[in-house]
Amino acid sequence: MKAPKSKKLRLQKRLSEVDEIKLLDSWIEFGKPDSGSNPLSVPSLPTNAPIGRIGDNTFSQYAGCKRFNQLPLSQKTKDGLKDSKFSKMTEIQRASLPHSLAGRDILGAAKTGSGKTLAFIIPVLEKLFKQRWGPQDGVGSIIISPTRELASQLFEVLKSVGKHHGFSAGLLIGGRKDVDMEKEHVNDLNILVCTPGRLLQHMDETPNFECSQLQVLVLDEADRILDVGFKKVVNAIVSQLPKHRQTFLFSATQTKSVQDLARLSLKDPEYISVHEESVTATPSRLHQTAMIVPLDQKLDMLWSFVKAHLNSRILVFLSSCKQVKFVFEAFKKLRPGIPLKCLHGRMKQEKRMGIYSQFCEKRSILFSTDVASRGLDFNKAVDWVVQVDCPDDVASYIHRVGRTARYLSAGRSVLFLMPTEMKMLEKLQEKKIPVQFIKANTKRLQQVSGLLAALMVKYKDLQSLAQRAFITYLRSIYKQRDKEIFDVTKLPIDEFSASMGLPMTPKIRFLNQKTKGQKEQKEASLPLEVPIEENLLELSTKSVDKSVDDEEDFLVKKESPDIEIGKETSSGNILPATRIGKKKKLKINIHRPAGTRVVFDEEGSTLPPLATIADMSGSGSPVMDREKVNKRYAELREEMKVQDKEDKFLDRQRRKEKRIKAKNKLKRGAEEDEDDVEGDDLSESDRATGGQKASKRSKIYFDSDNEDSEKKGGKNNIGFPADSISLAQQEELALKLLSSMNS
Ligand SMILES: Nc1ncnc2c1ncn2[C@@H]1O[C@H](COP(=O)(O)OP(=O)(O)OP(=O)(O)O)[C@@H](O)[C@H]1O
């Protein structure tokens, strides 16, 4: 994007640009498709047909053409496209460009990896070119993306395709330290590629930030940007933009909400959904699979998957930063034999960018949150997308799997579903997503929970990472909106904790944590509660894909041993796998008091407290050493005595305080009553009530003193032994008190 050097050359350029723009305007006007029409249905031009002006005020047809050079585009854009090796258009480009070049607003929807980026970058460049936008004109276009990585990627495409234009463009994303420098230059930029937060920051903080002349606004991943998470920010941004502008909204899962469109003041937008008629909502070269993986087997399954695909580039999705951190750190320590990387929103921006580009280059495994789920184009070379945690919804699934099988390349994906999440499979099928239900080859399943427990003894940090990951995962399920799929109460919480190698299940405050017994009962009935549809069973039998190579052996169960993952029972239900080869727990089950030492066995598993005093030398069940047990009980009795003393002391203190408070209250009450009755001429009945009042007060007084009297050898404050005073005496005393008050 450099300006031509000499003055003469610049003038020449300007003149020829003016002519070029005139030609383009006439060409566009001449052949613009009717509003609402689909350019894809127009027969395309023969390849050798003349392009551009073909007679007086007649031009070649461009709606329906297949190549970029047949479009009414500036030479600079055509050169940029050629340099970037783009010649043939994709469907979304063919369908949308004739409308967008004609100045219309676009709502574009097309599958992931189908080339939506060029579908908006090209008209942005063209609009500013035809407006003869220059550095002095300020911000002419804003392109908003939901994530920093995606914004950076869009910026690269813009730089590459727009390199022959003279516009200045800037990438404004959060997490960068140079915000002050950005503030100095932002008013000189013509095209801003940004995340919503950073753009609003500039709108709020940058002196004289000006975008009143904005020509084109683009929302990439529009449905994401318009959803609740960004709502306030986006509303604030849009309120500062001029209404008269061109607007493009693109996504693989487009919003059709009238409210959203109204918020953006779209004018009769062209709704372009090129794959609406398509048999599938996901790329045709994407081979998608799903399998049942109980929560407490997810790590075993993931580990086994990784070990079986050491020569691939795998993108693994987990539900939270903490999950990502834990799995990444744990697997790194287990050394799987392939480079591991992690990406999440809490990382520093430079690091995030570094990881992103490293993953594009080398075979490796990237553990990520949904920060990498949308728009990212990892050099078209992701072999596998593994969804360890179920996506929030169908849209999220589509974007995650869309990181593979981009443009013309193929890809594979696997979704781990817990037995309780089977409804997701139905929802995917309803939305035309062809997912094959497969079974894992459990013979190749490798367990990691024991190894993780051992690692936690050595690395304390790992244990706290695991605890946080555990809680965050459960919280994420708890907070999910779709309760048909996500039900935290049905999760095997203790087993999950054990599968992460944790010595004990962390306390979960947001859940009314049930006792283990209650949970076990619930889990025992779980498989039968899982709604399994007939078609799912059909799918599972159809699922063995003969074409899969040996690497996939792991995912496709070729023989059928006894009941294992996804195995159909005689009653027609699929049982979730039980924990395979799970170490038999010691039968001694004494609740360990809080704060006692956690003891590990040689393999790093935790032992119940009394297991340490059990005699394990013989074979079979452990035998108790009587002497040790008695000693232990004696210790416990001593501990309890001490505890009891402390409790009694505290209780006495509490009672004393309460008594003092009551006394003071009574005193205050008496003083107030004295004021009230002063000078009153009490009738008989009033006196009677007053008497009751007084006796009531005195009763409280006595009651509260009873405890005291016990301590003082049974004497109350006014000298009577508390238990020797009769009811008649009490009444007499009360009347005395009353009359003394009234006198
Ligand atoms: N006309 C084209 N010719 C060749 N390659 C193209 C063309 N258009 C786009 N591509 C390539 O296809 C890949 C996917 O494009 P792009 O990232 O724009 O997809 P997308 O539809 O925006 O995907 P997502 O929905 O995931 O954001 C990129 O690598 C891009 O370079």
Side-chain angles (χ1 to χ4, degrees), residues 569-726:
T569 64
S570 52
S571 60
N573 288 313
I574 293 177
L575 291 181
T578 49
R579 213 166 140 66
I580 297 146
K582 201 171 173 179
K583 211 183 304 149
K584 220 177 163 193
K585 279 188 183 155
L586 287 174
K587 286 274 153 54
I588 306 161
N589 184 17
I590 304 288
H591 300 295
R592 171 153 41 90
T596 50
R597 210 155 48 96
V598 178
V599 184
F600 294 88
D601 66 11
E602 281 161 12
E603 288 169 40
S605 304
T606 51
L607 290 175
L610 283 193
T612 52
I613 54 172
D615 179 2
M616 299 290 290
S617 51
S619 56
S621 300
V623 182
M624 298 294 248
D625 177 334
R626 271 285 126 217
E627 210 176 295
K628 280 186 184 173
V629 171
N630 289 340
K631 200 175 148 210
R632 175 78 181 132
Y633 280 144
E635 281 168 11
L636 284 174
R637 271 196 298 273
E638 271 313 302
E639 277 173 27
M640 279 170 72
K641 265 188 198 167
V642 174
Q643 191 67 42
D644 198 39
K645 263 189 188 168
E646 280 173 15
D647 285 350
K648 275 188 179 154
F649 175 75
L650 285 174
D651 190 50
R652 275 200 302 274
Q653 292 274 98
R654 192 181 53 79
R655 281 163 178 261
K656 197 172 176 182
E657 275 167 23
K658 202 172 150 194
R659 217 170 35 246
I660 292 168
K661 258 189 206 164
K663 269 185 198 168
N664 290 341
K665 197 174 164 191
L666 194 69
K667 252 189 196 168
R668 276 200 306 276
E671 280 160 12
E672 278 163 22
D673 280 358
E674 271 176 21
D675 294 342
D676 284 347
V677 294
E678 209 173 18
D680 268 11
D681 195 6
L682 288 177
S683 66
E684 257 332 281
S685 63
D686 287 335
R687 264 181 224 285
T689 339
Q692 273 172 18
K693 236 184 186 176
S695 83
K696 215 173 177 181
R697 272 205 315 270
S698 59
K699 197 173 169 203
I700 298 165
Y701 185 81
F702 283 123
D703 274 356
S704 65
D705 233 16
N706 273 350
E707 296 151 16
D708 210 22
S709 61
E710 269 170 30
K711 277 177 265 153
K712 292 178 187 167
K715 295 264 184 183
N716 63 35
N717 273 3
I718 46 175
F720 292 103
D723 46 5
S724 68
I725 196 162
S726 69

Side-chain angles (χ1 to χ4, degrees), residues 462-475:
L462 192 65
Q463 185 168 326
S464 64
L465 274 183
Q467 279 166 344
R468 275 180 265 155
F470 170 87
I471 290 170
T472 325
Y473 174 76
L474 294 178
R475 190 182 291 122

